[in-house]
Amino acid sequence: MGCWLGWWQVQSLSSLDIHVSGYCMAHCWSSVFCCVQRLVPEPRTFNIVMNACNAAAQYSSCVAVHSRMASQKVPPTVGTYNAVILAHCKMDQLSTAQQLFNEMQQQGCQPTHTTFITLLQSAEQHGQAQIAVSLLEQMQTMSLRLTPQCYAAAIGACAAAGQLVTARKLLADMLASSKAGMAAPAHIIMQLQDKCCDWQGAYRTYLKLLASGVRPDSQTTATAIEALWGAGNVSSCLLALQVFEGACQQGVFRLSVSVQAADTAVEFSLPVAGACMALIGLWRLLAELKGRVARDGAKILRNSVVVLLGDGQTTVPQLHPAMVQWCAVPGVPFTVDGSSVIQVKLTAPAPELARWLLSDQSLLMCPVMPAAAELEGLQETLMQDAETATLSKCRQQLLEATEMERILTQSANVSPALTKKADSLQAGWPCAGSNVLLQHHMNPVAATAHLNDERIRHRSPKPYAAANYPQQPGSAGMHAILAGTSPAALSPAVSCSC
């Protein structure tokens, strides 16, 4: 567009704001800076430009406008600080944003809810738990309302920093709050419980929703499945299958099938709302196709098979990388087409897919799905077996650690090998030298609760790695169950995997 208007034609600051707004909407940044540089506008004009720069992801330009504003001695407002703090947070400059936050208060500008949310979300992204907790405390001091969004960011920051105790305390505070707790939807609560590695709590939240008579929607169901399946142990995965089967029966999850023109391909659409939900949906679909191909032959697949994952409208986090990992498993005939974040397209030639479905290679990727009525019994049995095996292992390690401590205290000269073994026992899972376990090793309930915390503390973060399922802890037990193996055949090492 160019600065064809000419700054000399601007008769007032009000008309300047109008022209600057028009240039910002048209992304004519040269014209914007031409007006700003030739005149000394009021703070509102600068704020308009800075907000427009942020909206266009021109964060460095926003910082440049703020510098220009300071050089012209234009007094900043709350909106000015909110805009430049957002720009620095988007550029991963949290320390600079904090300095501006402190300067903002020194200049007499009261931080708003927007200011805190921006800083809290940046703290979550960087795993700065101490900063996030401090910001929440400042909000309480200033009598600002702590919304579910504020709690979610702070809980995420604590969880990312590995401070699960603090994260769970914040979650408990949120649920106890009459305002924040009531305002938080069920799927948000389950997401936070998932961040706190509390899949049991997420499942309880899901059951409460069912008990209230409310039918969970696709997003709520997907959140519950993500929390349960992503935990990676046998019991939680079986519960995820239960939730999925319930969603199918209630019509929340519906599979649609169509045949493309000239019978060239069969297209299946799975409107999944999560990566883990997509994995279970694929399992179910492939298990059914396996039975159909074995009965009716490969001709039912036409020339190729296309699977569309996602509704094509909503972004599904981690879906594309999860499917890339799934297709990378040796033998899987599917390939991922494109890199869309709202819908993933898998394609496979019909002859190759038919051969794979009928081969032993497909056993782990499309196992026999247990009937919905059997899932609850399997889950309860495995939970009991896992607790028994875990406690047995705990007691054994406690005995070894106690004996090692006795030897070390009585021996003046300790060999390096013995010291190394003692260190490995003290550092080993499940925390063999823990005083808490020593106090509760005769109390199965207390010991099991502590072991659950130890497993959470020692396990690696969960970036939806269930996509690479053959390498997951406990996967052998899960595949054995889904393939029809009796739970009693599972070894304790498999049953108590987490």
Side-chain angles (χ1 to χ4, degrees):
M1 181 184 294
C3 192
W4 56 268
L5 174 67
W7 67 272
W8 55 85
Q9 296 184 27
V10 178
Q11 302 298 323
S12 66
L13 289 175
S14 177
S15 60
L16 175 64
D17 289 345
I18 295 174
H19 291 303
V20 167
S21 299
Y23 289 140
C24 289
M25 294 178 63
H27 291 187
C28 297
W29 305 112
S30 59
S31 301
V32 171
F33 291 118
C34 176
C35 291
V36 172
Q37 290 173 2
R38 289 178 176 271
L39 291 178
V40 183
E42 62 181 0
R44 182 178 59 181
T45 309
F46 280 104
N47 294 347
I48 291 173
V49 177
M50 294 169 68
N51 289 325
C53 290
N54 286 337
Q58 301 286 334
Y59 305 117
S60 58
S61 298
C62 175
V63 174
V65 172
H66 178 256
S67 300
R68 180 75 181 181
M69 183 178 183
S71 66
Q72 293 184 350
K73 307 298 183 182
V74 179
T77 64
V78 173
T80 305
Y81 280 111
N82 284 345
V84 72
I85 286 174
L86 175 61
H88 282 291
C89 287
K90 291 295 185 179
M91 293 191 296
D92 295 330
Q93 298 172 355
L94 180 57
S95 59
T96 305
Q98 283 186 281
Q99 294 174 5
L100 289 167
F101 176 72
N102 296 331
E103 177 188 314
M104 175 183 189
Q105 298 176 78
Q106 294 171 1
Q107 294 295 326
C109 296
Q110 184 78 0
T112 63
H113 188 270
T114 301
T115 316
F116 282 102
I117 279 293
T118 301
L119 290 169
L120 281 168
Q121 291 177 342
S122 182
E124 178 185 16
Q125 185 179 4
H126 293 84
Q128 297 291 334
Q130 186 175 359
I131 294 176
V133 173
S134 175
L135 289 169
L136 281 186
E137 292 174 350
Q138 291 183 60
M139 289 187 71
Q140 290 178 319
T141 303
M142 296 179 181
S143 299
L144 292 176
R145 181 187 174 189
L146 298 180
T147 63
Q149 191 178 11
C150 298
Y151 275 111
I155 291 170
C158 294
Q163 299 182 14
L164 294 183
V165 174
T166 305
R168 290 174 178 177
K169 181 181 181 303
L170 290 175
L171 178 57
D173 292 343
M174 187 196 81
L175 296 178
S177 171
S178 58
K179 294 182 178 180
M182 294 295 293
H187 73 275
I188 295 296
I189 296 175
M190 287 190 289
Q191 283 178 358
L192 297 180
Q193 289 167 328
D194 186 20
K195 289 182 179 180
C196 294
C197 300
D198 183 14
W199 62 266
Q200 295 98 329
Y203 185 60
R204 287 193 296 269
T205 301
Y206 182 78
L207 292 180
K208 288 180 182 178
L209 190 64
L210 292 178
S212 67
V214 177
R215 191 182 80 166
D217 58 10
S218 178
Q219 186 178 24
T220 304
T221 303
T223 304
I225 292 175
E226 296 292 302
L228 295 169
W229 188 265
N233 62 60
V234 176
S235 301
S236 63
C237 288
L238 287 172
L239 288 175
L241 294 177
Q242 273 189 295
V243 173
F244 182 85
E245 290 297 329
C248 293
Q249 294 173 4
Q250 296 174 3
V252 176
F253 182 84
R254 292 183 180 275
L255 169 71
S256 59
V257 186
S258 62
V259 179
Q260 295 182 359
D263 286 352
T264 57
V266 180
E267 184 176 281
F268 298 93
S269 295
L270 303 176
V272 297
C276 298
M277 190 177 186
L279 290 168
I280 299 177
L282 276 175
W283 274 22
R284 198 167 191 257
L285 171 62
L286 293 175
E288 292 181 4
L289 285 180
K290 185 173 184 176
R292 288 288 306 275
V293 170
R295 184 176 69 250
D296 302 327
K299 62 181 183 295
I300 63 169
L301 302 179
R302 304 303 196 273
N303 294 333
S304 63
V305 172
V306 177
V307 181
L308 299 177
L309 300 168
D311 59 8
Q313 298 177 355
T314 308
T315 299
V316 182
Q318 300 295 330
L319 178 59
H320 185 268
M323 291 300 101
V324 170
Q325 291 184 35
W326 186 83
C327 291
V329 174
V332 174
F334 283 97
T335 57
V336 180
D337 292 347
S339 58
S340 174
V341 296
I342 59 175
Q343 190 172 58
V344 175
K345 181 179 180 181
L346 306 180
T347 58
E352 294 182 18
L353 178 59
R355 284 194 297 269
W356 178 72
L357 288 173
L358 299 178
S359 69
D360 293 339
Q361 284 184 313
S362 67
L363 289 178
L364 293 181
M365 306 307 293
C366 52
V368 177
M369 299 288 285
E374 300 175 7
L375 288 175
E376 185 173 355
L378 284 173
Q379 188 272 336
E380 185 64 29
T381 301
L382 286 170
M383 182 71 80
Q384 295 174 359
D385 292 345
E387 290 181 359
T388 302
T390 302
L391 288 174
S392 176
K393 182 178 180 181
C394 170
R395 292 190 181 103
Q396 180 63 32
Q397 289 189 341
L398 284 171
L399 291 175
E400 293 180 8
T402 304
E403 180 64 18
M404 188 61 62
E405 288 182 6
R406 185 186 65 80
I407 294 174
L408 291 175
T409 54
Q410 294 179 358
S411 301
N413 298 321
V414 181
S415 65
L418 191 60
T419 303
K420 183 177 181 181
K421 181 178 180 181
D423 292 340
S424 65
L425 277 173
Q426 295 293 334
W429 180 88
C431 198
S434 171
N435 290 330
V436 178
L437 283 179
L438 287 170
Q439 295 170 8
H440 297 296
H441 73 279
M442 297 304 294
N443 184 338
V445 176
T448 303
H450 179 72
L451 284 174
N452 286 336
D453 291 338
E454 289 298 321
R455 286 182 289 186
I456 289 170
R457 187 165 63 84
H458 283 83
R459 78 175 192 175
S460 58
K462 181 206 66 172
Y464 296 91
N468 199 1
Y469 200 69
Q471 300 178 9
Q472 283 299 292
S475 61
M478 190 63 187
H479 295 317
I481 294 168
L482 295 179
T485 304
S486 171
L490 294 174
S491 65
V494 171
S495 295
C496 66
S497 296
C498 181

